[in-house]
Amino acid sequence: MSARKQIERTGVLFVCLGNICRSPLAEGVFLHLAHERGMEDRFHVDSCGTGGWHVGERPDHRSVAVAKKHGVKLPSRARKLDPFEDFDRFHWLIAMDSENEREMLTEGAPRERVRLLRSFDVTLSGAKAADLDVPDPYYGGVDGFDQAFSMIQRACAGMLDAIC
Ligand code: 4NP
């Protein structure tokens, strides 16, 4: 009898401030690209915010719109980072900007598992950490969401190349 194949999933958690604009986009794009590569089953993917203002809400309608334009679904509702659980469950803790990164480190995240998402964008190799933020589009216009999507898409593709 053949042994049942055990698939060890790699946990990837995308983290921003509110978990309604950038990190849900990163979660959806990463899953979309992993699916295109036939690798979806290799990952356990989620997103959260360091702040709790929007817990339980669906992603911002502007994130939903830009994702839809690119055929990407945004599956989850907002939740707040839970350092005790999340730092244990997820292998990769991926910050959208340096403030999210600093917040996770302050909360006790293991340094070797924390990365800025855009550090995986190969076109940005050599850039300073300060230039690797996905700027928060929440208070701006729709353009900011298009720009965030492009940044996230390039970085998620680079991340898949790097960790697979
Ligand atoms: P996100 O954007 O961190 O990309 O989800 C934000 C959403 C909401 C707020 C801030 C940033 N807020 O202050 O409510």
Side-chain angles (χ1 to χ4, degrees):
M1 222 163 104
S2 66
R4 228 175 107 201
K5 198 176 169 191
Q6 292 279 343
I7 299 171
E8 186 79 22
R9 289 182 187 244
T10 300
V12 180
L13 183 65
F14 294 103
V15 182
C16 64
L17 179 59
N19 193 210
I20 55 170
C21 298
R22 294 165 293 172
S23 60
L25 274 178
E27 178 187 355
V29 167
F30 186 90
L31 279 170
H32 183 82
L33 295 176
H35 177 74
E36 280 183 351
R37 296 177 186 208
M39 293 175 169
E40 204 179 353
D41 291 349
R42 288 170 51 173
F43 300 102
H44 165 55
V45 185
D46 198 5
S47 65
C48 67
T50 58
W53 312 282
H54 298 282
V55 167
E57 292 178 20
R58 290 214 176 275
D60 187 284
H61 65 96
R62 294 163 296 178
S63 283
V64 173
V66 71
K68 196 172 172 190
K69 211 157 65 176
H70 294 271
V72 172
K73 292 198 180 98
L74 306 185
S76 63
R77 286 182 183 265
R79 72 170 179 87
K80 191 170 188 285
L81 175 73
D82 178 343
F84 187 74
E85 283 271 325
D86 291 331
F87 297 162
D88 191 44
R89 277 172 61 216
F90 291 93
H91 182 83
W92 292 105
L93 302 162
I94 308 296
M96 297 300 112
D97 67 30
S98 49
E99 205 180 302
N100 315 141
E101 180 185 45
R102 203 163 38 245
E103 184 70 28
M104 281 198 281
L105 293 171
T106 302
E107 299 262 18
R111 184 71 194 90
E112 68 279 9
R113 291 198 264 126
V114 178
R115 294 282 189 286
L116 283 167
L117 177 63
R118 293 185 82 204
S119 68
F120 291 105
D121 182 337
V122 289
T123 67
L124 297 174
S125 63
K128 289 180 294 191
D131 298 327
L132 294 177
D133 287 351
V134 179
D136 187 348
Y138 184 61
Y139 292 106
V142 170
D143 281 3
F145 284 79
D146 284 323
Q147 284 156 18
F149 187 93
S150 299
M151 290 176 189
I152 287 168
Q153 192 176 38
R154 273 199 308 276
C156 283
M159 186 176 166
L160 277 163
D161 291 340
I163 71 173
C164 288

